Amino acid sequence: MNKIVKKAMAAALVLALVGGGAPTLSGGGFDVLKPSIVANAEAMVTVANGAYFHKGDTLDFGTGSYVSVYDYEDSLFISGTQSFTNAGIIHGDEDTYGYIHIGNADFDCSLFPYADGNSVMLNSFEGVWGYIVCGDGTEESPYYFCPLLQELAAVTYSYANVTLDDSVTLNFYADKPSLNALGVDGVTLTGPNGAKSYTTFENGGNDCYIFRYPLYATQLDEDVTIQFKKGEDIVQVRVYDEEANAVVPKNSLSYNINTYCDEILEFEEGYYADEVINAVQSLKNLGIAAKNYFSDSTDEITFIGTNYTTDKDAIKADYAPTFQSENDKVSVVLDSVFSIRYYIDGLTADSTATDENDTVLNAVKGKGGKYCFEKKIVSPTDMGSPYTITYNSQDYIASALSWSYRTIENDSNRIRNLSRALYQYFKYTEIYETWANS
């Protein structure tokens, strides 16, 4: 992928930790706007993420705005309005990007490469809308520009991120003005857990809608495909085509969490903070370890740090459950929602318990047909928190990492690796959340 494109795409990726599959672990346990403005008509355009403009338009940057200049890291202070009457495109050195020229300033439009579909570079604004992408006009996050062919009037996919909540959720962000202008009234995400359809759209901030797809820990390498529709008609989405080295319209866009992780982990050293890197690595490791556990695959895991004993000792020291019998067990469910299961000797279908909030828990059938009580985990940072349930006047205290306590010295390498991966996922998401909120 073109380095400039990759850099810009990666900069849009944010690990959204707002706090998460597979079976139970008991082993050992972003207006695409064809506005009312006709071609070549002059208009005043207020600069904002997602705004379109045309040759002859005047852009109103407002007071105190910054615009990217020359390269990705640089920016220029812009105040008030600038006319595009004499605007033109200047080719860049790599012949895959260019600059929008206004007066004496060359404004970077290299966030995405552009072409006419046959890799022929554009040399004028005739028939071309300009498009303002990303940024909020601050010096740290300036506005960027991209020329756009009218033929590429398609939904603009803005970026993706991952939410680590009570499930691991892949989020697609699509430009709100583009969906509205193109009349999109339905969006479908299709992945390993079937189709998830939206007819009402959730506000994702930054003038985007957000579309969410929960996944099991074992499914982080499986694609989720997003498709936009107007009635029964497919509305195309702009997708970067690596072979054409261009943004082209396609019927759908596919992505997966491991690709998200890799785009962050493979970025140049120092671009992302260690807290981000470690949280992403621990997420990827959990996916690999879970898949190895449930499918008997043997994919390599790059654990954070090389001292296994440190993780083992922390788990053994801090996460032992308080149960009443050696026959009582704790397990973890890495399903679309994470939870802990308490297997207590003698439970039947009619058994009930209460949690620390006096909420009644009914016994559910677990692994091997045995009955258990199940307690939902709110977020990965809660994995080390002990939950107390009371059954027959006896307290049973355990955390998700109590399963790791049970299994960290298991004879099976795949079980030990999953125990360690679960612990590191808890540890580094907790560190990330503290850092992100500081």
Side-chain angles (χ1 to χ4, degrees):
M1 182 182 291
N2 177 284
K3 183 177 181 181
I4 293 175
V5 177
K6 185 173 183 180
K7 191 171 195 179
M9 289 177 68
L13 301 178
V14 179
L15 181 64
L17 179 55
V18 299
T24 302
L25 302 184
S26 54
F30 80 41
D31 242 337
V32 167
L33 183 58
K34 287 191 177 180
S36 56
I37 308 167
V38 297
N40 298 318
E42 295 184 10
M44 176 73 74
V45 177
T46 299
V47 173
N49 184 7
Y52 274 78
F53 57 89
H54 194 272
K55 182 178 179 180
D57 290 349
T58 297
L59 299 191
D60 182 4
F61 292 91
T63 302
S65 294
Y66 286 82
V67 175
S68 177
V69 181
Y70 300 116
D71 60 50
Y72 190 82
E73 288 85 2
D74 200 5
S75 63
L76 180 71
F77 181 77
I78 296 292
S79 184
T81 61
Q82 299 285 330
S83 173
F84 267 65
T85 304
N86 298 313
I89 294 178
I90 303 170
H91 289 181
D93 294 338
E94 297 182 29
D95 256 4
T96 57
Y97 63 95
Y99 299 101
I100 293 177
H101 181 83
I102 312 174
N104 296 320
D106 294 341
F107 295 96
D108 182 20
C109 64
S110 60
L111 187 60
F112 294 101
Y114 58 93
D116 64 359
N118 297 307
S119 299
V120 177
M121 300 306 298
L122 303 172
N123 57 20
S124 79
F125 272 99
E126 183 177 355
V128 179
W129 291 100
Y131 175 48
I132 299 164
V133 290
C134 296
D136 55 17
T138 63
E139 187 172 11
E140 295 77 15
S141 182
Y143 293 120
Y144 303 95
F145 296 88
C146 182
L148 175 67
L149 287 171
Q150 283 183 299
E151 297 85 68
L152 289 185
V155 171
T156 300
Y157 158 74
S158 296
Y159 58 95
N161 66 16
V162 175
T163 300
L164 306 182
D165 207 336
D166 58 1
S167 67
V168 182
T169 302
L170 179 60
N171 305 314
F172 291 85
Y173 290 76
D175 174 64
K176 185 184 297 184
S178 73
L179 269 70
N180 294 341
L182 293 169
V184 172
D185 54 17
V187 177
T188 300
L189 273 64
T190 307
N193 300 321
K196 185 176 177 61
S197 297
Y198 294 87
T199 55
T200 59
F201 304 155
E202 178 186 352
N203 189 348
N206 296 321
D207 217 18
C208 290
Y209 290 120
I210 182 174
F211 304 96
R212 309 175 187 269
Y213 194 94
L215 292 154
Y216 296 1
T218 54
Q219 299 169 338
L220 307 192
D221 62 346
E222 299 191 41
D223 279 353
V224 177
T225 300
I226 188 168
Q227 188 172 73
F228 303 88
K229 285 192 172 184
K230 179 181 181 180
E232 296 299 315
D233 297 329
I234 293 173
V235 178
Q236 293 188 311
V237 57
R238 302 182 70 221
V239 179
Y240 177 77
D241 186 290
E242 193 161 353
E243 184 175 344
N245 196 27
V247 175
V248 299
K250 292 189 177 182
N251 286 343
S252 62
L253 180 148
S254 297
Y255 198 61
N256 64 63
I257 290 182
N258 274 357
T259 298
Y260 167 86
C261 292
D262 289 341
E263 286 172 346
I264 293 177
L265 297 173
E266 294 172 3
F267 219 65
E268 60 255 40
E269 186 176 353
Y271 189 84
Y272 288 105
D274 289 344
E275 290 84 356
V276 177
I277 296 295
N278 289 338
V280 169
Q281 184 68 65
S282 69
L283 171 61
K284 186 173 182 180
N285 288 348
L286 179 63
I288 297 171
K291 194 158 191 177
N292 286 350
Y293 177 91
F294 291 111
S295 66
D296 291 326
S297 54
T298 57
D299 293 342
E300 184 177 354
I301 304 174
T302 307
F303 282 113
I304 302 166
T306 57
N307 191 342
Y308 167 78
T309 304
T310 301
D311 287 345
K312 181 186 72 174
D313 290 348
I315 293 168
K316 299 295 286 185
D318 296 332
Y319 302 109
T322 301
F323 279 4
Q324 305 302 317
S325 162
E326 289 185 358
N327 295 322
D328 301 332
K329 305 291 184 183
V330 61
S331 71
V332 178
V333 179
L334 297 184
D335 209 330
S336 57
V337 175
F338 286 6
S339 60
I340 311 171
R341 283 182 174 174
Y342 301 74
Y343 287 87
I344 300 172
D345 233 11
L347 293 187
T348 67
D350 297 326
S351 298
T352 61
T354 57
D355 66 9
E356 58 269 21
N357 298 315
D358 293 327
T359 302
V360 174
L361 304 175
N362 296 310
V364 297
K365 191 174 289 188
K367 187 175 181 179
K370 294 185 66 175
Y371 283 93
C372 61
F373 296 117
E374 186 169 299
K375 179 73 176 177
K376 175 182 173 181
I377 303 171
V378 177
S379 83
T381 57
D382 289 329
M383 285 186 173
S385 303
Y387 292 89
T388 301
I389 68 168
T390 303
Y391 171 68
N392 280 351
S393 301
Q394 296 289 328
D395 289 341
Y396 296 79
I397 306 171
S399 69
L401 293 181
S402 295
W403 179 82
S404 292
Y405 169 86
R406 287 184 55 211
T407 58
I408 194 63
E409 295 182 317
N410 192 279
D411 291 339
S412 167
N413 187 58
R414 65 189 179 92
I415 295 176
R416 290 196 310 273
N417 281 345
L418 185 52
S419 292
R420 190 180 185 193
L422 195 69
Y423 170 70
Q424 288 205 346
Y425 179 61
F426 155 75
K427 175 181 178 179
Y428 290 106
T429 53
E430 185 176 56
I431 291 171
Y432 171 83
E433 185 177 54
T434 300
W435 169 81
N437 292 329
S438 63

